[in-house]
Amino acid sequence: MSNVCTAGLDVGFASLDYLQIFILGVVQGITELLPVSSTAHMRVIPALLGWQDPGSAFSAAMQLAALAAVVSYFWRDVRQVTTGSINAVRRGDYNDQWFKLAVAIVLATIPIGIAGLALSSTLNTCNSPLRGLMVIGISCVVMAVLLAVAELRARHTREVSQMRLRDALIVGVAQIGALIPGVSRSGSTLTAALFLNFKREEAARFSFLLGLPAIALAGLKELWVLLHADLPAHAWPHLLFGLVVASISAFFAIWGLMKFLERFSTWPFVIYRALLGVFLIVAVSTGLLS
């Protein structure tokens, strides 16, 4: 399907109906927090069903749903990081674990903040080359390979409390990959944390906590852009409805992933990503999808 542009911004979601928005909201909420790439699914599903591409602006703004879900699920951690780091500063105790975790999260957010600003015009423009299905397919395969290698090499011994600033910076740099559709923010950070020998559930926990500033900044920035894009009036109820649906599905996605990683490996995600990537590469190469 062709793009729908408003002031150069891809806003195809405005032409979708509520059933389509509901389905995409569920998909966005689940895939945003699993290491399978929400952007890939938000491109692939409309392409398979013959729907209008909802656009990168919709995907970015819908990240706020993941923000609500992560804060809700990890409320105790969020509260401890916030209050603990503030109290540590008041005491002058800069070795406090919560202060160090807060610094780690801030440090790890800087790389994607810089990269996101530098690439924002390319990422959100109509007909962005980065949203091509071939790019997504290749990204899925590459990340499947990296996650598989990480799973094989990781010793799964470390916890978030052992996070060093160097570790945070490495995971933060890996998070830049999430700007490429098909890579996945949670997938790139989870993979990096596994390479650093964190336990699977601890790697996921840090991935989610680390994502809070990046998700908030990206989502709020996109809302600001949409506010100045002269959207049709009916587009805002669509966006709000999608956010509510995605928030609910994202919460259950976190719950399911954390329970899963406490008992199992990431191999199902590796296999799924590889199959999805190969399918997209073949489908685009044969003209089945474009």
Side-chain angles (χ1 to χ4, degrees):
M1 299 293 288
S2 61
N3 298 88
V4 176
C5 296
T6 297
L9 192 67
D10 188 355
V11 291
F13 74 93
S15 64
L16 299 177
D17 60 40
Y18 278 100
L19 177 59
Q20 293 169 325
I21 292 290
F22 174 82
I23 293 172
L24 292 179
V26 172
V27 172
Q28 170 74 22
I30 293 174
T31 58
E32 176 68 35
L33 298 174
L34 297 182
V36 295
S37 178
S38 60
T39 307
H41 288 79
M42 296 294 276
R43 276 286 286 117
V44 172
I45 289 179
L48 287 173
L49 297 177
W51 298 351
Q52 176 64 53
D53 178 4
S56 57
F58 179 76
S59 298
M62 291 282 281
Q63 291 183 45
L64 293 175
L67 178 69
V70 172
V71 170
S72 299
Y73 189 88
F74 290 100
W75 173 244
R76 180 178 298 177
D77 286 313
V78 173
R79 182 181 61 189
Q80 288 180 316
V81 170
T82 304
T83 60
S85 57
I86 292 174
N87 291 334
V89 171
R90 289 174 178 171
R91 297 192 309 269
D93 180 11
Y94 301 113
N95 286 319
D96 180 87
Q97 69 168 10
W98 298 112
F99 175 78
K100 290 194 291 186
L101 181 56
V103 172
I105 291 173
V106 171
L107 178 65
T109 303
I110 294 174
I112 195 173
I114 296 173
L117 289 174
L119 295 174
S120 61
S121 59
T122 301
L123 292 169
N124 293 335
T125 188
C126 291
N127 300 310
S128 171
L130 290 180
R131 283 178 61 82
L133 292 176
M134 180 61 79
V135 172
I136 293 174
I138 293 172
S139 298
C140 283
V141 172
V142 170
M143 280 305 303
V145 172
L146 290 175
L147 184 56
V149 174
E151 188 64 62
L152 290 171
R153 292 175 57 89
R155 294 193 293 270
H156 309 298
T157 57
R158 301 178 63 195
E159 298 181 353
V160 170
S161 59
Q162 299 171 304
M163 175 72 65
R164 298 168 299 194
L165 293 183
R166 184 184 68 180
D167 299 325
L169 186 58
I170 291 172
V171 177
V173 171
Q175 190 176 211
I176 295 176
L179 296 174
I180 302 174
V183 170
S184 166
R185 194 204 63 79
S186 60
S188 60
T189 53
L190 177 66
T191 299
L194 289 177
F195 269 117
L196 294 170
N197 295 313
F198 284 87
K199 297 177 181 178
R200 296 184 187 93
E201 67 275 18
E202 290 291 292
R205 179 182 169 214
F206 182 67
S207 171
F208 289 138
L209 293 175
L210 166 62
L212 290 176
I215 292 171
L217 291 173
L220 292 173
K221 173 186 174 296
E222 209 57 50
L223 282 181
W224 177 259
V225 171
L226 290 172
L227 281 170
H228 294 80
D230 296 322
L231 292 179
H234 69 271
W236 292 105
H238 281 196
L239 186 61
L240 179 60
F241 178 66
L243 283 170
V244 172
V245 172
S247 296
I248 297 171
S249 59
F251 183 89
F252 286 104
I254 297 177
W255 177 84
L257 179 63
M258 295 302 293
K259 296 297 182 184
F260 182 87
L261 292 179
E262 288 175 2
R263 300 180 58 190
F264 305 105
S265 72
T266 61
W267 282 108
F269 301 112
V270 171
I271 296 171
Y272 177 77
R273 289 186 65 101
L275 291 176
L276 176 61
V278 170
F279 166 74
L280 289 176
I281 293 171
V282 172
V284 173
S285 298
T286 59
L288 178 63
L289 293 175
S290 60

